[in-house]
Amino acid sequence: DTEVTQTPKHLVMGMTNKKSLKCEQHMGHRAMYWYKQKAKKPPELMFVYSYEKLSINESVPSRFSPECPNSSLLNLHLHALQPEDSALYLCASSQASGNTGELFFGEGSRLTVL
Amino acid sequence: GENVEQHPSTLSVQEGDSAVIKCTYSDSASNYFPWYKQELGKGPQLIIDIRSNVGEKKDQRIAVTLNKTAKHFSLHITETQPEDSAVYFCAASGGYTGGGNKLTFGTGTQLKVEL
């Protein structure tokens, strides 16, 4: 199984809502990532977890809160978002050994903030 | 930090022709250079990668070359087909050692293969 599964595929939320994006992989990978991608732009790294510990936070606003409950799951909790946060949110995973492992991406969760 | 530039931003070729996309990077510590293909509505998918101990790598119609001295690497697609139409991203990593693979992506190339 070489899949990274993201749910939901689409999410519409108001600026006062609280919602979560979920990501799951069963490849035994110990590094997991959240990326944000705006239309016609490259993915931008948000967070990296290595062995369930946060190793990178790319100065992401606190309205985005990541969580890694176990080695297979990664969540992104969303609260008080702004319309400019509307984007495709991509989850990825890689083997944690070394810093040049292949990243496997999910299909993404398309978020619209009204 | 790493900075990756990618050219061209759009590329249109006739079916059967070759396509070449070029990238440059800034961090001499980078030693991993993957290429991703992203189709509309989907996540990026790795198509080929190269590490700094190799100058060239080929997989059927796709090849990647790396010049570490000049800090640039290129993707070559031969005998292009309509299903090659997509956005292609180059990326680089290797300078970060704090856990995980901190990839920096290029700006992307929209490849269109015309019949």
Side-chain angles (χ1 to χ4, degrees):
Chain A
D1 186 1
T2 57
E3 274 194 353
V4 175
T5 303
Q6 291 188 242
T7 56
K9 293 191 185 305
H10 300 275
L11 178 64
V12 179
M13 60 186 291
M15 290 190 284
T16 58
N17 292 157
K18 284 185 181 180
K19 297 285 186 183
S20 296
L21 305 180
K22 296 183 184 300
C23 175
E24 189 169 5
Q25 58 86 15
H26 295 288
M27 294 179 278
H29 289 171
R30 301 305 298 273
M32 296 188 77
Y33 310 74
W34 281 114
Y35 281 84
K36 173 183 178 180
Q37 187 177 27
K38 301 282 266 186
K40 300 187 186 298
K41 295 290 186 183
E44 294 177 23
L45 183 63
M46 300 175 71
F47 303 104
V48 179
Y49 275 84
S50 178
Y51 293 95
E52 295 94 69
K53 287 184 168 40
L54 185 66
S55 68
I56 298 178
N57 175 343
E58 292 285 75
S59 303
V60 179
S62 59
R63 57 186 184 269
F64 295 92
S65 176
E67 177 195 21
C68 190
N70 60 55
S71 60
S72 300
L73 294 174
L74 185 66
N75 299 321
L76 186 62
H77 302 298
L78 314 171
H79 174 53
L81 295 192
Q82 303 297 310
E84 58 264 29
D85 296 322
S86 298
L88 181 69
Y89 288 84
L90 293 162
C91 174
S93 70
S94 71
Q95 293 181 354
S97 57
N99 60 348
T100 59
E102 176 184 347
L103 263 66
F104 291 79
F105 282 88
E107 299 285 82
S109 292
R110 186 161 299 283
L111 172 67
T112 302
V113 182
L114 301 176
Chain B
E2 176 65 276
N3 181 51
V4 179
E5 295 187 359
Q6 182 172 347
H7 300 280
S9 57
T10 59
L11 180 58
S12 185
V13 301
Q14 295 295 120
E15 183 180 8
D17 286 350
S18 295
V20 180
I21 303 170
K22 298 184 178 184
C23 290
T24 60
Y25 62 97
S26 61
D27 187 351
S28 57
S30 290
N31 58 3
Y32 177 63
F33 307 93
W35 287 87
Y36 284 86
K37 176 183 181 182
Q38 188 172 24
E39 297 176 342
L40 200 60
K42 295 191 173 184
Q45 181 179 17
L46 181 76
I47 55 171
I48 196 167
D49 58 12
I50 192 167
R51 299 175 190 275
S52 62
N53 57 342
V54 177
E56 183 173 358
K57 185 176 177 180
K58 191 173 182 181
D59 183 4
Q60 298 183 0
R61 296 186 297 110
I62 294 173
V64 59
T65 59
L66 171 64
N67 183 328
K68 277 222 87 179
T69 303
K71 295 198 187 75
H72 65 71
F73 56 114
S74 302
L75 177 72
H76 303 253
I77 305 174
T78 59
E79 301 172 23
T80 53
Q81 301 166 3
E83 51 265 38
D84 294 329
S85 296
V87 178
Y88 291 80
F89 291 102
C90 63
S93 69
Y96 175 75
T97 57
N101 182 355
K102 188 178 180 182
L103 274 181
T104 299
F105 283 86
T107 47
T109 296
Q110 174 74 63
L111 174 63
K112 183 176 181 182
V113 180
E114 298 175 332
L115 295 171

